[in-house]
């Protein structure tokens, strides 16, 4: 048992009339001890659950995230356009098919670069992740960090797991299953990347957390990011005209929504991408890559591809609408389909 963590826990778990914000430096130290394996499961569980009950501020969340960022194994970004790191619900989806993976492939075919980060078997859902969808499409994932570098350079997109870039966090999965509830770990894991120079896209389930996460990213020194309300908390923004997006740019936060009509796309929501099994998912996605299939699912893929391209654009004056045609051309020209069919270096796919 860590006596130091025991003292931190006493500060965190005071009586109802004294519960409140914890000093961010204390949050940082607590996470250092947790990731180092110096706190017992009972201490960690008690600490995280009290934090969930109280609610974590942006300053506290930044404190928890910094030790994760310092331990993250690093990799080199390829030269060229900025790489966009995309994260969402690491615990996957239960009711809808994944279109974020397809959107990343389309963005890559249009000249963008996207790194997908996630995990498998993450509580409380342990649902289907983009890894599952990429495998359905015939792509071997998760990739090692070396393989990720090659895939980004050769294909313009890659997908790797926390097991490769932050094994200390991955080691907490059994304990997180015992805790049974989402905690600050479920937020902080979305805010780290093995790429130092990257732009972040963070999908979130509940709207009240959007601004807090955007403020957290500013405290962490992130200059370019997009935080958005996503389908099942995944990496996929719905196209319903009311979903909120928060753009972080050089210390400021802009809140906005996107009207489907402004993009010349039909309104599309989770109702248009139901999960009906692997074969249905494969046939649906292949149809879209072959320029047929569901118009609404296609619109969701185009929209999310355009968001990825927009976040990777170095022109500060551009908008999402400026990248829809790039995404559409990548689909209609067959460029996105060719990415699926082109072989990749063996080290990147193993």
């Amino acid at each position: 048992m860590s006596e130091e963590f025991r003292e931190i826990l006493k500060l965190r778990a005071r009586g109802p009339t004294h519960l409140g914000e914890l000093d961010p430096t204390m949050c940082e130290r607590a996470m250092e001890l947790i990731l180092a394996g110096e706190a017992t499961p009972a201490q960690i569980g008690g600490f995280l659950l009290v934090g969930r009950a109280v609610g974590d501020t942006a300053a506290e969340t930044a404190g928890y995230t910094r030790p994760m960022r310092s331990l993250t194994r690093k990799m080199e970004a390829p030269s060229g356009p900025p790489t966009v790191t995309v994260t969402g619900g690491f615990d996957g989806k239960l009711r809808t098919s994944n279109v974020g993976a397809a959107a990343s492939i389309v963005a890559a075919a249009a000249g963008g670069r996207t790194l997908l980060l996630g995990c498998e078997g993450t509580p409380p859902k342990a649902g289907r992740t983009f890894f599952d969808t990429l495998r359905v499409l015939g792509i071997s994932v998760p990739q090692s960090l070396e393989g990720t570098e090659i895939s980004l350079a050769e294909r313009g997109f890659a997908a790797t797991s926390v097991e490769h870039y932050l094994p200390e966090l991955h080691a907490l999965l059994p304990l997180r299953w015992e805790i049974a509830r989402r905690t600050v770990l479920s937020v902080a894991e979305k805010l780290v990347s093995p790429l130092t120079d990257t732009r972040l896209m963070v999908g979130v389930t509940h709207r009240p957390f959007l601004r807090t996460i955007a403020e957290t990213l500013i405290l962490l020194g992130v200059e370019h990011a997009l935080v958005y309300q996503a389908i099942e908390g995944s990496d996929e923004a719905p196209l319903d005209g009311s979903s909120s997006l928060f753009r972080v740019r050089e210390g400021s936060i802009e809140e906005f929504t996107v009207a489907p009509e402004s993009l010349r796309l039909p309104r599309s929501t989770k109702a248009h991408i139901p999960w009906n099994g692997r074969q249905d998912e494969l046939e649906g996605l292949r149809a879209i890559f072959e320029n047929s299939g569901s118009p609404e699912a296609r619109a969701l893929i185009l929209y999310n591809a355009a968001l990825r391209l927009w976040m990777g654009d170095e022109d500060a004056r551009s908008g999402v609408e400026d990248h829809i045609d790039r995404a559409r051309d990548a689909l209609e020209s067959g460029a996105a389909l060719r990415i699926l069919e082109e072989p990749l270096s063996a080290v990147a796919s193993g």
Side-chain angles (χ1 to χ4, degrees), residues 21-319:
E21 185 174 353
L22 199 62
D23 187 313
T25 60
M26 196 69 71
C27 299
E28 192 166 342
R29 182 56 182 157
M31 189 57 65
E32 288 174 350
L33 292 170
I34 290 172
L35 295 175
E38 295 186 24
T40 68
Q43 288 177 323
I44 297 171
F47 182 85
L48 293 177
L49 286 174
V50 171
R52 172 187 166 89
V54 175
D56 298 297
T57 66
E60 288 173 303
T61 304
Y64 293 127
T65 306
R66 288 190 183 98
M68 293 187 185
R69 289 164 69 91
S70 66
L71 286 173
T72 298
R73 280 60 171 174
K74 302 301 181 185
M75 51 174 278
E76 292 294 326
S79 58
T83 300
V84 178
T85 295
V86 183
T87 65
F90 279 38
D91 60 352
K93 304 171 76 182
L94 297 177
R95 300 177 296 278
T96 56
S97 294
N98 185 298
V99 298
S104 296
I105 293 170
V106 172
R113 283 207 174 94
T114 304
L115 171 60
L116 293 169
L117 298 182
C119 191
E120 295 183 277
T122 305
K125 285 189 295 186
R128 297 186 71 263
T129 70
F130 60 78
F131 293 122
D132 295 289
T133 300
L134 289 171
R135 292 188 193 108
V136 165
L137 291 170
I139 299 173
S140 180
V141 287
Q143 296 157 323
S144 67
L145 292 190
E146 182 183 5
T148 298
E149 289 182 350
I150 294 171
S151 186
L152 280 175
E154 293 188 5
R155 275 181 166 164
F157 83 95
T160 191
S161 167
V162 67
E163 184 176 7
H164 291 292
Y165 64 87
L166 189 51
E168 292 86 353
L169 176 60
H170 188 263
L172 295 174
L173 279 183
L175 175 59
R176 292 172 69 179
W177 271 108
E178 292 186 30
I179 292 174
R181 291 290 186 179
R182 290 187 182 91
T183 67
V184 72
L185 296 178
S186 301
V187 177
E189 66 188 357
K190 302 181 182 187
L191 310 183
V192 301
S193 173
L195 290 173
T196 302
D197 186 15
T198 189
R199 300 178 180 196
L200 287 175
M201 288 181 60
V202 183
V204 180
T205 303
H206 302 295
R207 190 186 182 285
F209 295 110
L210 298 181
R211 181 169 290 276
T212 299
I213 292 176
E215 292 172 350
T216 299
L217 290 170
I218 290 176
L219 292 174
L220 292 170
V222 175
E223 294 190 352
H224 300 276
L226 184 69
V227 185
Y228 51 100
Q229 197 170 5
I231 298 172
E232 290 195 63
S234 66
D235 60 346
E236 306 156 12
L239 189 57
D240 59 5
S242 63
S243 180
S244 297
L245 301 97
F246 285 72
R247 187 188 189 189
V248 173
R249 185 173 178 84
E250 298 175 347
S252 64
I253 299 173
E254 172 195 5
E255 180 182 1
F256 64 100
T257 59
V258 176
E261 296 78 13
S262 70
L263 306 178
R264 306 186 308 281
L265 294 173
R267 288 183 177 261
S268 306
T269 68
K270 61 185 179 182
H272 296 106
I273 51 170
W275 167 246
N276 293 314
R278 288 170 55 89
Q279 187 61 33
D280 180 78
E281 181 179 40
L282 173 60
E283 292 174 358
L285 289 175
R286 289 290 301 195
I288 290 169
F289 279 111
E290 293 168 359
N291 290 302
S292 59
S294 163
E296 291 82 11
R298 182 177 186 271
L300 276 174
I301 290 173
L302 288 174
Y303 174 48
N304 281 277
L307 286 175
R308 286 153 170 74
L309 292 168
W310 176 55
M311 284 304 298
D313 194 340
E314 296 186 272
D315 183 358
R317 297 167 297 178
S318 73

Side-chain angles (χ1 to χ4, degrees), residues 303-350:
Y303 174 48
N304 281 277
L307 286 175
R308 286 153 170 74
L309 292 168
W310 176 55
M311 284 304 298
D313 194 340
E314 296 186 272
D315 183 358
R317 297 167 297 178
S318 73
V320 181
E321 64 279 0
D322 298 316
H323 300 283
I324 283 290
D325 287 340
R326 290 177 63 193
R328 184 180 287 111
D329 289 346
L331 264 183
E332 294 179 353
S333 68
L337 182 60
R338 286 194 293 274
I339 285 183
L340 285 180
E341 297 174 342
E342 289 174 355
L344 187 66
S345 301
V347 68
S349 59

